[in-house]
Amino acid sequence: MAKRNSFGILAWLALFIFMLTACSGQSEPSGVFDPENQREYGVGGIYLGQNIKEAMDIIKPSKADFMDMVSRESYTVDRMAKGEGEAVMGMLLLDRTQLLVKVRKGELSSIMLGGVAKEDAARFKTYRGLAMYDSGEQLKKLYGEGSGEKEVVYEGSKYTANFGLEDNQVVWFRFDSK
C-alpha cells in the first residue's frame, strides 16, 4: 500500500513539474529571433495577427479611435473583432504615449510606436524584451543581424520588423504584415 501511495505522489509531482515547465516556456521567447513566429512582431503583449478585441483587452488603452482609411467610417472594436473593416487605422492612447495600429479583417496587421517619453520606455517592450531607447547593440543581441543602419529591418515570409536608430538608440519601431 505504501508503494502505491509513493508511486501516486511521484506521478502527480512529475505531472506538476511537466505542466510548470510547459506553461513557463510559452511566454518566453526562444534564444534566437524567429522571423516566422508572429509573436516576435509585437509590443506590450500584443502582436501581428492577433484579434483586435484580445489585443485591446491586453493593452487597455485610455482612449482608442478607429477609422477606415478609405471611407473615413468610424469602427468599434466589436465590429472589427467580427472581421469588419479592410483597412482600419487606430490611434491608441496609453497614458501619454500614442500607439498606432492597422487592423485588417479583425486582426492586427501593423503596429507602430515612436515618441515615447524616456521614463515610459520600459513599459513598451517587444516580445524579445527590447525597450525603447535600448542601444543598437542590444537590438543586435536580441534580434541578430538585420539589414540597414539607421533603419534596421528583419524580415520573415509574412512579417517585417523595422527599428529606427538615432544616436545608437532605438527611437521607434514598426511591425507589419506583408
Side-chain angles (χ1 to χ4, degrees):
M1 181 97 167
K3 276 187 173 181
R4 186 178 284 173
N5 285 342
S6 297
F7 180 76
I9 291 172
L10 287 174
W12 278 108
L13 182 62
L15 180 63
F16 175 75
I17 291 171
F18 173 76
M19 294 297 288
L20 185 63
T21 56
C23 290
S24 67
Q26 291 175 356
S27 63
E28 294 294 318
S30 65
V32 178
F33 172 69
D34 178 2
E36 302 307 321
N37 180 355
Q38 69 188 41
R39 289 184 185 265
E40 295 275 12
Y41 302 91
V43 61
I46 65 172
Y47 55 89
L48 296 182
Q50 185 176 37
N51 182 279
I52 186 63
K53 177 84 168 129
E54 182 182 329
M56 294 294 283
D57 288 345
I58 291 169
I59 207 145
K60 295 178 181 30
S62 50
K63 185 173 182 179
D65 292 314
F66 295 94
M67 180 185 296
D68 184 273
M69 295 187 314
V70 177
S71 71
R72 303 290 185 223
E73 179 184 357
S74 291
Y75 275 82
T76 65
V77 172
D78 290 332
R79 281 183 63 198
M80 289 183 296
K82 293 176 187 173
E84 292 183 38
E86 194 59 37
V88 179
M89 285 294 289
M91 184 184 312
L92 312 179
L93 190 58
L94 306 165
D95 295 327
R96 59 184 169 179
T97 301
Q98 291 179 352
L99 178 72
L100 299 175
V101 297
K102 183 177 173 188
V103 182
R104 184 180 316 131
K105 296 185 179 179
E107 295 181 349
L108 290 174
S109 62
S110 183
I111 301 169
M112 299 161 271
L113 182 65
V116 176
K118 288 198 180 212
E119 52 272 14
D120 295 338
R123 179 177 178 193
F124 301 100
K125 287 187 177 182
T126 67
Y127 176 71
R128 301 207 70 72
L130 183 75
M132 197 64 68
Y133 304 109
D134 276 351
S135 68
E137 290 79 22
Q138 182 69 4
L139 172 64
K140 190 180 285 189
K141 178 182 171 189
L142 294 173
Y143 286 85
E145 195 67 45
S147 61
E149 291 179 28
K150 289 280 190 185
E151 182 176 345
V152 184
V153 180
Y154 299 89
E155 290 191 76
S157 64
K158 297 179 184 177
Y159 311 103
T160 304
N162 299 48
F163 296 89
L165 295 175
E166 186 66 41
D167 295 327
N168 197 38
Q169 290 183 323
V170 175
V171 293
W172 63 265
F173 49 81
R174 186 179 77 230
F175 302 112
D176 293 303
S177 297
K178 292 184 177 181

